[in-house]
């Protein structure tokens, strides 16, 4: 937690917050902070600044906050991701949020197991919580929007062409003839497939919707690895 | 498992292997392969090729293998990494191996908790196993060397200056004034700190040993995220 994310409910006056639960625990046990200490804080979807601890006991922490800086710039990347295994979903979302990705669409694909869609980790509460963990890690405040689309074809045919407008649309594909571009100077829509990859018919649909298959070489990387790899390579 | 890694012990003739255990299970349950199917295989530290299933039962699988291709090129990167929490160590090692990193040195630092050094995950067997998982993911065959150094100062003062010879030596540091370079055309030695970062005295020691602190911007990323991010950015 490199930044303590603050919510409207935390404010007891315009400049004072009162926190309990997970954040209190972290400040006490990890930061080992005391009254007078200054911590990096940020208002959800707002400014970043400093919170000075005014009061601290076992029940709650109170901080006087000055919020005067912009959060780091967002990554101009929309991520369309075949729904990962529940086991990796949490860290993929946290990692995407930490990288500054602000729009994520989780989609179905042939190699996405049906059972993944029933995971409790897909609840809006959990997706939001994982996003918060990513923002706290990266010192950002702006929550990503995370949507889910159960029907690959409907999404790719009806929605994707609109979503990619004004962006460079790419699908990561190990067998693509074209190399993934570097230092792209425009917004990107990036599609990443499931473990085992998209099937040929899916790649064809994505191409028909305007996405160019691109490769990063012979290595096939896990979704969490390839996501940050491509974030660095593209921008 | 995008490649089945083969070991000397697997060969029952010069061109036939017999596998059981984890690899048999994977071929049966995930690949759902049958006699006659061809799978991507590779000899540890050697060539890649195709294994054609000659025999398959509940005890073992036998494949006739043709190994005729080089594995993908290694990443010209030596990774010096403050020992991560045991919980993340496994996937950091697997991810590093999948990226093609061939030398990893796990070091101590002020913010590495002492207890991490007692984790059974640090056993050579486990580190090797995680490396194998990374190679199987990325279709590589060349195992990384993984060393551990319990004493930061001895390592940085006595060993690091030799280790970085002929390479560009960098330490990832959020507060560095210099931006991390892109498309470096020479081998790199990259030092990555613990959660919470290196302390100032450690950064000073690393600088004295020839490492330049470089930043990737305001965002503070987790070790597994920053590792693949920097691998993409540097090369």
């Amino acid at each position: 937690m490199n930044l303590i994310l603050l919510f409207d409910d935390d404010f007891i006056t315009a400049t004072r917050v009162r926190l309990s639960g997970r954040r209190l625990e972290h400040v006490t046990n990890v930061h080992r902070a005391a009254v007078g200490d200054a911590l990096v804080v940020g208002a959800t979807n707002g400014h970043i600044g400093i919170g000075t601890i005014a009061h601290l006991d076992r029940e709650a922490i109170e901080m006087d906050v000055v919020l005067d800086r912009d959060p780091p710039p967002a990554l101009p990347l929309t991520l369309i991701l075949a729904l990962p295994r529940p086991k990796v979903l949490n860290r993929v979302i946290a990692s995407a949020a930490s990288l500054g990705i602000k729009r994520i669409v989780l989609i179905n694909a042939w190699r996405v197991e049906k059972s993944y869609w029933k995971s409790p980790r897909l609840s809006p509460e959990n997706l939001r919580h994982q996003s918060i963990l990513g923002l706290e890690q990266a010192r950002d405040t702006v929550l990503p929007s995370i949507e889910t689309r159960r029907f690959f074809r409907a999404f790719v045919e009806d929605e994707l062409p609109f979503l990619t407008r004004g962006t460079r649309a790419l699908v990561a594909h190990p067998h693509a003839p074209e190399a993934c571009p570097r230092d792209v100077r425009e917004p990107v829509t990036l599609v990443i497939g499931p473990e085992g990859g998209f099937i040929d018919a899916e790649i064809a649909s994505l191409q028909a919707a305007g996405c160019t298959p691109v490769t990063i070489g012979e290595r096939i990387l896990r979704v969490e690895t390839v996501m940050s790899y491509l974030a660095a390579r593209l921008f």
Side-chain angles (χ1 to χ4, degrees), chain A residues 123-146:
Chain A
S123 71
E125 295 71 30
N126 180 60
L127 295 175
R128 182 179 156 89
H129 180 63
Q130 300 307 323
S131 304
I132 290 170
L133 295 179
L135 297 180
E136 289 173 343
Q137 167 69 36
R139 289 195 170 156
D140 194 356
T141 66
V142 183
L143 283 162
S145 109
I146 307 179

Side-chain angles (χ1 to χ4, degrees), chain A residues 2-234:
Chain A
N2 296 305
L3 169 144
I4 299 167
L5 202 58
L6 307 173
F7 300 88
D8 287 351
D9 286 356
D10 298 326
F11 285 83
I12 52 176
T13 76
T15 59
R16 181 169 279 206
V17 293
R18 183 180 165 87
L19 315 176
S20 57
R22 186 178 67 90
R23 290 170 295 172
L24 168 66
E25 224 171 88
H26 191 90
V27 169
T28 313
N29 300 337
V30 181
H31 290 311
R32 295 197 180 108
V35 169
D37 285 358
L39 301 172
V40 178
V41 297
T44 306
N45 299 322
H47 283 125
I48 284 175
I50 291 295
T52 306
I53 301 178
H55 179 86
L56 177 64
D57 62 26
R58 287 169 62 180
E59 304 277 293
I61 177 173
E62 288 188 18
M63 287 191 286
D64 292 315
V65 301
V66 179
L67 299 165
D68 53 5
R69 285 191 297 129
D70 284 333
L75 211 61
L77 176 68
T78 296
L79 180 65
I80 317 284
L81 185 65
L83 181 63
R85 270 183 303 149
K87 208 183 141 188
V88 303
L89 179 65
N90 280 2
R91 54 176 192 268
V92 167
I93 297 297
S95 177
S98 76
L99 288 163
I101 298 170
K102 298 305 177 195
R103 186 169 184 191
I104 303 168
V105 186
L106 299 167
I107 66 169
N108 197 27
W110 182 259
R111 293 204 179 100
V112 169
E113 284 187 30
K114 278 208 182 72
S115 63
Y116 296 177
W117 287 102
K118 289 178 193 148
S119 167
R121 295 197 173 179
L122 264 182
S123 71
E125 295 71 30
N126 180 60
L127 295 175
R128 182 179 156 89
H129 180 63
Q130 300 307 323
S131 304
I132 290 170
L133 295 179
L135 297 180
E136 289 173 343
Q137 167 69 36
R139 289 195 170 156
D140 194 356
T141 66
V142 183
L143 283 162
S145 109
I146 307 179
E147 299 152 81
T148 55
R149 294 291 184 273
R150 282 292 311 257
F151 301 102
F152 177 86
R153 208 169 147 168
F155 170 74
V156 172
E157 290 179 5
D158 304 339
E159 256 189 277
L160 190 56
F162 296 94
L163 212 146
T164 56
R165 267 192 198 162
T167 74
R168 184 133 175 205
L170 307 171
V171 49
H173 186 48
H175 310 302
E178 197 172 317
C180 180
R182 295 167 196 274
D183 296 322
V184 174
R185 308 277 165 180
E186 59 193 318
V188 170
T189 304
L190 174 66
V191 187
I192 297 181
E195 273 180 66
F198 285 119
I199 59 173
D200 290 346
E202 289 169 337
I203 291 290
S205 301
L206 290 163
Q207 280 186 284
C211 299
T212 306
V214 291
T215 178
I216 53 162
E218 293 170 66
R219 295 179 183 278
I220 302 171
L221 302 176
R222 283 204 179 282
V223 55
E224 59 263 50
T225 310
V226 86
M227 192 172 61
S228 50
Y229 190 94
L230 286 172
R233 171 136 171 173
L234 287 167

